[in-house]
């Protein structure tokens, strides 16, 4: 099975990309690493007339730390995210999530922008970015807009981006002091598999009392879009995180999601796993022992 | 279309300027434009890793990588890894450790290893697994690949060690694969690697529905397309429009009815693949959908529409021995269960491909990766209405097969293409097409009832096995016959009632898959035996020892076993090994994870048996240059039979292995044989080679005696010549060959070997009339016992296999490394069957369409495997050897299920044992306790 004929364009500036998007946004698809798009095109799930290659656009790349936070260009490869010292030090949970994307081979090609714009409910970086309260910076000829990643996804394979917009970068604020985080992913097998359930947790603790001041919890693969578990967050905040409370938090999380059945797992199983993984991710954040979650 | 400059890049150190189609992927460019065919196309979807290349030193799959994405970069392929006169240490290590079987995944695997070792010169095992987790290998079970990486890392540090490495030779030694060097260099020519002058490309129009009537077929628009040479339909099949070895009922091209989504309706041959694909889209087929049958249970209902003129029952057999009622009356314990196993895809890395042509002598020639060239030739003769002598089938190297390349795949379409067009034609299936068309392991529904007396003796087994044969006969009748013969495992059972059905449906075509029906039955009998042992408070090894078949015992089908029966030896070896490892295993127990140990035994036929002629031939020729040519009746699909046969030949002759050139898989050059099936080739082809070699040796020595007037009894073959023990002189074979040539003579031996006659279970007359001491179902049997240690996460239901112990009887290990490779690969497949693999359809429409969805184990899933070889010689085999390649898949699946039970108290009756099923079992147990 071959790809349907399409025109392939490789602009070398953001200006040219935006002009193309303005003119032909309906008919084209942008491509970065190609790990998702090319498979979809081959399967004829999408058949664009034009494909715009972004890899030569300098404005979209680079990871930079400044006074306020971290700027991550949309073209940043997962392999870079998992190993860049500034990410590992300041935004560890993102490095951990990037490490769980596919294989080393996929991580050498796939970009964070592509992973997010493809809007898979199971995208590995999404829950981590959600708990980090990442901002997506969208750009078009009309100008730039910044939205919280929480309102970026519109449904499976859908985002709120307009036809003439592209994702330029992700911005992450500094993580508050005394924050602890963890990302866990459950698949059918250890590799070559999508997440059945994934959970990211970021807890900001009061250093003296052991009270959780601020909690951020997000899940992937159990709702049409990766989503924050806001009830669970509220439940955790202001409390001392004892074993029994963590167990209850898992139950709260379980009530927040309505996963579906498919050939990989039943809805019932996924619902059950929301509880188990949320509980384990909280424990892992706090450095409590958890069984090696086989992924 | 706008052409974008694709640009320059460095390919294996040389600057290249790629021009043309910017849509072209790097993989297509490497293969089609540069003929660098070492980079393989396994799935074109980023799933399998066979197309791995290095881009600026990073491993990247080239199948979806656009040329413009590598502009200005450095691309390295397997061909650039080493110079022709040397091997890279990674290549050398793969060869030395036996990490290569079929060789199709090997180049991509080696490339990933190169990237790893460049980055981490001394990786841990964990890092090795992580780096190779998207390189799928279906043959080796990954164990030897991990060994190879460790060895390569060492050799890179200490090149002198690599150089001083001695290569093993001789029978009983781990002689490296004789095609191994070509495999590790990526230059072994698989069917899709062949390009012919003036070649046309074929594309197939598949059925859209699982069951439909074809109302009309309109090819008029498609025919007008540029470069279209022909669109062939059922009207263009010259002879019988059907393939199949038992009943040729699967149409080459369907005329007015389709019975599954793998049915072909037309085939387009065009100058380019793109033109053929365009035409496929322009062909209009009008269908009237017919009500389908999507389970054997539906098929058996009286109101079910018949899928074939004879109805929906493909095969039914009932076998009774002793008195089943009396047997159950004597039973102290009765255990029973209903078991279900799914269809499973073979998932070899090489999708089906081939070339058809008419050669200069007018012989229609097919190059394709078939396990059974002679059978395919016979079937093609009927399809083409040609005598068999006018057809030649050459088996190209098989990039894995496991039973699925036994039935026709692309051969018949290639044959009619070459027949009509008189030009070379090529068809290569995509991975999705391969999954759609290819045969599967049958789905089974089994009801078992097993009775034992208080001492643990099996008294009675009542088994019903219902198999989904799919749309056509294929090998389903023989598979169900075999499942019934092995329905009770390697045990004595005095009272038996076994009933089997193979039933037509509109699902996938069920046929041969490594184990051939025994795997399904083993799941049932071994699970129930485990349950019985618990009820009787017997050790799982003990209950198997009590019932194990031994010499003099009768199998349930009535064969008296006379030699080489190693059930007990394998049970004892596995038990001893487990005791040795138990303390280490116990130490791995962590909170929230339960460890369980499961045991199962198995046996399996060696040789096709069941009334089929088990034959093979061998031809030895002394060439004019003094080399020995062996034309052997065998097909190598990665298991290494070519190497094994050369080892046998060299052992008999006394010459060195490197003096022998072997030719296999060619109907024009070798004698007829029963195919690469039933783990039969070591036994049958090996025997033919052994006996032919004895004759050839004696002819060589006689000729030397005559020419040189030397005493026959003092002559021996050694190295490359004949030595005279009395005089100490040496006659090189080159000399002898010259003399033979001058005398105008030939030195050639042809030997045709047939194993003793066998009988099918369905052949009731034979059981009555053949004397019991002569009655047999198969030429021989292989025995095994395996232990699985698993860890179950009680909150997620995930099962991880921690360790496997595999004790196997192989008669005599001609090449221990190759035998281990077969066992390890079998264990990986049996593990996938237990835990993750299933080919799922919804009302005849496949839901598992891609390689990734099949659930094939990756390197990260594989536990440590300890292999133990037991050598209980089989007198019928060469030097006591028999087969090994399938039996190891049999017990591992139930051993894992038994281990899950041991860990959790949950018995899984429906494969695969996915986390949701295990968790549901745990939950219902907890509910019972509350």
């Amino acid at each position: 099975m071959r790809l349907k004929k399409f025109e392939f364009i490789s602009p070398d500036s953001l200006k040219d990309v935006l002009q193309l998007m303005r003119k032909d946004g309906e008919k084209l698809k942008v491509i970065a690493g190609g790990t998702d798009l090319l498979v979809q095109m081959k399967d004829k799930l999408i058949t664009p007339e034009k494909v715009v290659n972004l890899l030569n656009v300098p404005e979209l790349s680079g990871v930079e730390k400044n006074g306020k936070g971290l700027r991550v260009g949309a073209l940043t490869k997962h392999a870079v995210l998992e190993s860049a010292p500034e990410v590992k030090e300041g935004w560890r949970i993102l490095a951990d999530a990037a490490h769980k994307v596919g294989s080393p081979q996929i991580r050498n090609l796939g970009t964070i922008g592509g992973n997010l714009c493809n809007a898979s409910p199971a995208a590995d970086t999404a829950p981590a970015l959600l708990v980090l309260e990442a901002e997506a910076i969208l750009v078009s000829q009309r100008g730039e807009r910044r939205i919280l990643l929480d309102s970026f996804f519109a449904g499976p394979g859908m985002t709120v981006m307009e036809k003439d917009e592209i994702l330029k970068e992700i911005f992450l604020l500094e993580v508050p002091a005394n924050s602890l985080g963890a990302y866990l992913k459950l698949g059918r097998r250890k590799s070559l598999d999508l997440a059945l359930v994934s959970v990211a947790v970021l807890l900001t603790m009061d250093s003296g009392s052991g009270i959780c001041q601020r909690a951020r919890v997000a899940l992937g693969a159990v709702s049409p879009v990766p989503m924050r578990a806001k009830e669970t967050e509220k439940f955790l905040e202001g409390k001392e995180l004892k074993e029994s409370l963590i167990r209850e938090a898992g139950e709260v999380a379980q009530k927040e999601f309505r996963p579906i059945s498919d050939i990989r797992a039943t809805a019932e199983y996924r619902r059950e796993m929301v509880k188990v993984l949320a509980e384990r991710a909280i424990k892992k954040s706090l450095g409590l022992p958890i069984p090696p979650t086989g992924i | 279309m706008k052409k974008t400059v694709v640009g320059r890049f460095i390919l294996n150190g040389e600057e290249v300027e790629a021009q043309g189609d910017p849509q072209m992927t790097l993989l297509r460019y490497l293969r089609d434009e540069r003929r660098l065919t070492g980079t393989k196309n396994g799935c074109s979807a980023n799933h399998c890793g066979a197309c791995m290349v290095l881009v600026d030193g990073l491993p990247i799959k080239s199948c979806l990588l656009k040329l413009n994405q590598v502009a200005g970069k450095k691309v390295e392929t397997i061909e650039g890894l080493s110079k022709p006169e040397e091997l890279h240490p990674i290549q050398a290590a793969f060869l030395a450790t036996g990490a290569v079987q079929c060789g199709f995944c090997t180049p991509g695997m080696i490339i990933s290893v190169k990237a790893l070792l460049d980055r981490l010169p001394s990786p841990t095992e964990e890092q090795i697994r992580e780096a190779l987790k998207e390189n799928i290998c279906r043959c080796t079970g990954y164990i030897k690949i991990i060994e190879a990486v460790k060895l390569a890392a060492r050799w890179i540090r200490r090149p002198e060690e690599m150089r001083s490495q001695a290569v093993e030779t001789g029978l009983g030694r781990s002689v490296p694969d004789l095609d191994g060097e070509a495999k590790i260099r990526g230059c072994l020519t698989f069917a899709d690697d062949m390009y012919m002058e003036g070649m046309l490309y074929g594309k197939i129009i598949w059925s859209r529905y699982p069951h439909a009537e074809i109302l009309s077929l309109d090819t008029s628009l498609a025919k007008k397309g540029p470069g279209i040479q022909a669109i062939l339909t059922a009207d263009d099949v010259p002879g019988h429009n059907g393939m199949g070895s038992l009943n040729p009922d699967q149409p080459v091209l369907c005329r007015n009815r389709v019975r599954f989504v793998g049915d072909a309706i037309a085939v387009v041959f065009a100058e380019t693949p793109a033109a053929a694909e365009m035409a496929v889209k322009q062909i209009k087929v009008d269908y009237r959908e017919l009500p389908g049958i999507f389970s054997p249970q539906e098929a058996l209902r009286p109101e079910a529409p018949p899928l074939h003129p004879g109805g929906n029952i493909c095969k039914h057999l009932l076998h009774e021995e002793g008195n089943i009622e009396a047997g159950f009356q004597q039973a102290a314990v009765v255990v029973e269960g209903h078991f279900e196993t799914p269809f499973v895809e073979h998932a070899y890395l090489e999708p089906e491909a081939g070339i058809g042509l008419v050669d200069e002598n007018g012989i229609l020639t097919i190059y394709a990766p078939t396990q059974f060239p002679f059978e395919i030739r016979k079937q093609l003769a009927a399809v083409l209405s040609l005598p068999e002598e006018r057809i030649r089938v050459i088996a190209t190297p098989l990039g894995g097969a496991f039973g699925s390349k036994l039935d026709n795949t692309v051969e018949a379409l290639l044959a009619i293409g070459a027949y009509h067009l008189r030009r070379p034609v090529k068809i290569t299936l995509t991975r999705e097409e391969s999954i759609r068309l290819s045969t599967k392991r049958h789905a089974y529904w089994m009801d078992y009832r097993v009775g034992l007396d208080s001492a643990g003796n099996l008294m009675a087994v009542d088994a019903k096995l219902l198999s989904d044969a799919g749309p056509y006969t294929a090998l389903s009748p023989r598979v169900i016959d075999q499942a019934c013969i092995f329905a009770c495992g390697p045990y004595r059972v005095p009272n038996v009632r076994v009933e089997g059905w193979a039933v037509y449906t509109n699902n996938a075509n069920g046929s041969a898959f490594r184990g051939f029906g025994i795997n399904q039955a083993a799941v049932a009998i071994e699970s129930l035996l485990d349950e019985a042992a618990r009820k009787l408070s017997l050790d799982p090894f003990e209950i198997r020892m009590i019932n194990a078949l031994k010499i003099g015992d009768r199998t349930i089908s009535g064969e008296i076993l006379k030699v080489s029966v190693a059930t007990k030896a394998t049970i004892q070896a596995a038990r001893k090994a487990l005791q040795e490892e138990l303390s280490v295993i116990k130490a791995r127990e962590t909170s929230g994870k339960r460890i369980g140990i499961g045991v199962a035994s198995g046996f399996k036929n060696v040789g096709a048996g069941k009334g089929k002629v088990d034959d093979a031939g061998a031809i030895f020729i002394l060439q004019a240059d003094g080399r020995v040519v062996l034309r052997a009746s065998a097909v190598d699909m990665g298991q290494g039979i070519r190497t094994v046969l050369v080892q046998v030949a060299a052992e008999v002759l006394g010459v060195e292995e490197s003096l022998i050139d072997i030719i296999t898989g060619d109907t024009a050059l070798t004698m007829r044989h029963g195919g690469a099936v039933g783990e039969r080739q070591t036994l049958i082809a090996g025997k033919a080679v052994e006996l032919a070699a004895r004759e050839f040796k004696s002819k060589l020595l006689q000729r030397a005696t005559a020419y040189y007037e030397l005493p026959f009894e003092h002559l021996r073959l050694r190295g490359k010549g004949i030595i005279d023990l009395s005089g100490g002189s040496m006659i090189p074979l080159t000399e002898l060959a010259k003399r033979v040539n001058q005398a105008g003579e030939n030195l050639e031996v042809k030997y045709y070997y047939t194993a003793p006659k066998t009988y099918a279970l369905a052949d009731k007359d034979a059981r009555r009339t053949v004397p019991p001491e002569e009655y047999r179902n198969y030429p021989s049997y292989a025995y095994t016992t395996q232990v699985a240690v698993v860890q179950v996460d009680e909150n997620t239901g995930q099962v991880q296999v921690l360790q496997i112990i595999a004790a196997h009887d192989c008669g005599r290990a001609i090449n221990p490394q190759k035998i281990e490779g077969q066992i390890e690969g079998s264990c990986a497949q049996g593990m996938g069957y237990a835990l993750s693999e299933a080919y799922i359809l919804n009302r005849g429409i496949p839901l598992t369409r891609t390689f990734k969805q099949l659930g094939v184990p990756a390197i990260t899933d594989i536990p440590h495997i300890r292999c133990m070889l037991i050598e209980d010689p089989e007198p019928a085999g060469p030097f006591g050897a028999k087969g090994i390649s399938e039996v190891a898949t049999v017990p591992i699946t139930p051993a894992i299920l038994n281990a899950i039970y041991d860990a959790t108290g949950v018995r899984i009756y429906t494969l695969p044992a996915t986390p949701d099923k295990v968790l549901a079992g745990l939950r219902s147990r907890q509910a019972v306790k509350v």
Side-chain angles (χ1 to χ4, degrees), chain B residues 609-620:
Chain B
K610 294 180 306 219
K612 218 164 152 44
V613 177
D614 262 304
D615 60 352
I619 303 168
F620 279 94

Side-chain angles (χ1 to χ4, degrees), chain A residues 1 38 42 187 189 191 269 272, chain B residues 44 64 430 796 856 860 923:
Chain A
M1 225 174 284
L38 287 170
K42 223 175 83 355
R189 283 168 296 147
S191 27
Y269 180 71
E272 182 82 27
Chain B
S44 276
L64 293 181
T430 64
T796 65
V856 171
T860 39
R923 291 286 175 270

Side-chain angles (χ1 to χ4, degrees), chain A residues 1-10 31-44 53 55-56 77 79 82 99-109 185-194 196 262-266 268-270 272-273 275-277 279-280 289-295, chain B residues 1-2 4 21-23 25 28 32 43-47 52 58-61 64-66 68-69 73 112 130-136 203 273-274 277 281 430 432-433 590-593 791 793-798 800 836 840 847-848 850-861 914-916 919 923:
Chain A
M1 225 174 284
R2 285 210 159 187
L3 301 179
K4 206 173 163 249
K5 292 259 182 233
F6 58 86
E7 189 181 342
F8 193 86
I9 311 160
S10 282
I31 186 167
T35 55
D36 287 318
L37 182 71
L38 287 170
V39 175
Q40 293 168 359
M41 286 172 63
K42 223 175 83 355
D43 292 349
K44 308 279 191 290
N53 172 29
L55 289 179
N56 301 329
K77 293 190 165 65
E82 66 175 315
H99 179 70
K100 300 276 184 182
V101 176
S103 63
Q105 292 84 13
I106 291 284
R107 298 200 293 275
N108 283 332
L109 277 180
K185 171 182 175 179
L186 187 82
R188 269 186 321 180
R189 283 168 296 147
K190 285 192 185 175
S191 27
L192 210 72
D193 221 345
L194 291 171
L196 292 173
D262 63 13
I263 60 167
R264 297 186 306 125
T266 58
E268 203 182 354
Y269 180 71
R270 284 196 169 94
E272 182 82 27
M273 287 308 100
K275 185 175 78 185
V276 174
L277 256 77
E279 193 183 317
R280 286 188 185 176
I290 60 164
T293 305
I295 332 291
Chain B
M1 193 188 75
K2 186 180 155 193
T4 314
D21 190 350
Q23 288 177 39
T25 61
R28 291 259 62 97
D32 298 342
C43 72
S44 276
N46 251 344
H47 294 163
M52 202 72 75
L58 296 175
I60 306 247
K61 293 170 187 171
L64 293 181
L65 195 66
K66 297 284 151 183
N68 72 299
Q69 289 176 293
K73 300 194 171 175
S112 288
E130 177 66 23
L132 299 181
K133 72 179 189 185
E134 281 211 11
N135 286 86
I136 299 299
K203 273 304 229 182
E277 274 164 45
K281 288 189 199 118
T430 64
E432 290 76 11
E433 289 177 310
T590 52
S591 88
K593 296 244 181 178
Q791 190 173 44
D793 185 324
E794 56 182 327
N795 295 316
T796 65
Q798 288 189 309
Q800 191 188 353
S836 55
I840 303 166
L847 299 179
T848 30
T850 67
F851 202 79
K852 189 174 185 167
Q853 290 167 329
L854 297 171
V856 171
I859 196 167
T860 39
D861 300 311
T914 47
D916 49 351
L919 192 72
R923 291 286 175 270

Side-chain angles (χ1 to χ4, degrees), chain B residues 371-374 406 615 633-635 672-678 680-681:
Chain B
Q371 292 176 245
F372 209 163
F374 284 91
L406 195 49
D615 60 352
S633 303
V635 170
R672 70 147 277 128
H673 69 105
V677 307
R680 63 185 287 282
Q681 296 195 115

Side-chain angles (χ1 to χ4, degrees), chain A residues 59-63 71-77 112-113 168-170:
Chain A
E59 293 93 329
L60 302 180
S61 51
V63 177
R71 178 197 159 272
V72 181
L75 288 183
T76 307
K77 293 190 165 65
I112 186 164
K168 185 180 163 212
E169 63 193 48
I170 295 293

